[in-house]
Amino acid sequence: TSAVSVVSGEELTEMAPSMSVDNMLQGKAAGVDVTAANGQPGQTAFVRIRGIGSINASSEPLYIIDGVVAPNLNSVNPNDIASISVLKDAATASKYGSRAANGVIVITTKAGAVDKEASIQFTSRYGFSQKIEDNFDMMNAAQKIRYERELSTLGVTNAQGLPGATADQETYERLLSFDNDWQETLLRRGIVQSNNLTVSGGEEKFDYFFSVGHDINEGIIDAIDGFERTNTRLNVNYQAKEWLKIGTNISVTSTSSDEPRD
């Protein structure tokens, strides 16, 4: 009876790899608008549930990971997610109070299974990122100076109100020496790498899930380290009595981000 969209962990892992869970939500839940902010490595997306609810305050939803409020979704490894529930109406979000005014995204991480032998899984991805080729050609220095000279003959001035280049030969040759392909200088082919190790299982009254993940996204700007994240998670449950179940979910995340300004 409530407006809830559920996305399973299997659906997320079938998608193209991404280091941000919110980017992986694009097109997966009705009524949830997910827009990538920019191409910066590790950048989270804009997530809007039921549209923009405020002019001055934040329109971000409330993120809950295993019952704990999280500032964003960069702190969770996509490989650790069992399911994502998006609470879109006031009735389902009311238990979280005014913080849930923009909707709630509830994430449940994976757990082990009772009476199951230990299972070890290792996944690794390695790829590249690069700038998409422009559908136009940039002028070189000689073409730019010739263009300015032609404008000058028409009486057109530049942004500073000065006439176009009418330099003598010496100045012309000096200006040509500044010619450079700045995209070639500044950009590179970046590396995208992800490694994840999980161990899960359980006995009659005990189950466990342990994972370690390491992600690197260099980005395409040279001399920028980009984004790096290391995740460690331990989920343990113990059925001490028929009426008593003890459990703990522990997660440690370390992130390093070296990014250019927008």
Side-chain angles (χ1 to χ4, degrees):
T1 60
S2 300
V4 180
S5 294
V6 180
V7 182
S8 67
E10 287 75 14
E11 290 182 79
L12 294 178
T13 55
E14 290 173 358
M15 296 179 60
S18 174
M19 294 186 183
S20 177
V21 178
D22 44 12
N23 280 309
M24 299 175 74
L25 275 176
Q26 283 183 316
K28 287 293 183 180
V32 181
D33 182 23
V34 180
T35 307
N38 52 39
Q40 288 186 4
Q43 181 68 47
T44 56
F46 295 115
V47 180
R48 300 292 181 263
I49 301 175
R50 304 189 310 272
I52 298 175
S54 174
I55 297 177
N56 297 320
S58 172
S59 294
E60 286 289 315
L62 179 68
Y63 298 108
I64 306 291
I65 302 176
D66 288 337
V68 179
V69 177
N72 55 57
L73 297 184
N74 256 343
S75 59
V76 61
N77 187 338
N79 294 285
D80 293 346
I81 295 177
S83 67
I84 300 177
S85 299
V86 182
L87 315 184
K88 295 180 285 187
D89 66 351
T92 54
S94 61
K95 63 180 292 186
Y96 298 103
S98 60
R99 296 180 300 175
N102 298 316
V104 184
I105 295 181
V106 180
I107 295 179
T108 303
T109 58
K110 295 177 181 178
V114 176
D115 291 331
K116 182 180 179 181
E117 293 185 357
S119 172
I120 301 176
Q121 183 179 23
F122 176 76
T123 58
S124 181
R125 291 193 295 260
Y126 188 90
F128 301 97
S129 61
Q130 63 185 33
K131 180 182 180 295
I132 297 175
E133 292 294 330
D134 295 320
N135 60 355
F136 55 85
D137 294 325
M138 298 290 291
M139 292 181 182
N140 58 28
Q143 293 169 328
K144 178 68 160 56
I145 295 173
R146 187 176 71 221
Y147 174 69
E148 290 181 349
R149 280 177 169 173
E150 292 174 354
L151 288 179
S152 180
T153 60
L154 299 175
V156 180
T157 60
N158 59 22
Q160 287 75 37
L162 302 174
T166 56
D168 55 34
Q169 187 62 28
E170 181 181 351
T171 306
Y172 173 76
E173 292 177 357
R174 182 176 63 85
L175 292 174
L176 284 183
S177 68
F178 298 149
D179 191 20
N180 187 67
D181 186 342
W182 289 108
Q183 291 195 35
E184 183 70 24
T185 301
L186 297 175
L187 303 183
R188 67 181 175 192
R189 174 180 285 189
I191 293 175
V192 181
Q193 186 175 5
S194 177
N195 297 296
N196 192 72
L197 174 68
T198 62
V199 181
S200 62
E203 298 179 356
E204 182 181 356
K205 296 183 178 181
F206 175 77
D207 66 78
Y208 57 88
F209 174 86
F210 173 76
S211 73
V212 177
H214 184 239
D215 301 289
I216 296 176
N217 186 350
E218 288 185 345
I220 64 173
I221 298 181
D222 204 8
I224 297 293
D225 292 336
F227 178 78
E228 183 174 3
R229 176 180 64 198
T230 302
N231 295 80
T232 303
R233 175 173 295 277
L234 176 64
N235 295 347
V236 178
N237 295 293
Y238 176 62
Q239 192 73 44
K241 298 288 185 180
E242 184 178 342
W243 49 271
L244 176 61
K245 185 176 183 179
I246 303 171
T248 181
N249 291 1
I250 302 173
S251 176
V252 178
T253 302
S254 173
T255 60
S256 173
S257 183
D258 178 20
E259 303 167 1
R261 297 179 299 172
D262 280 345

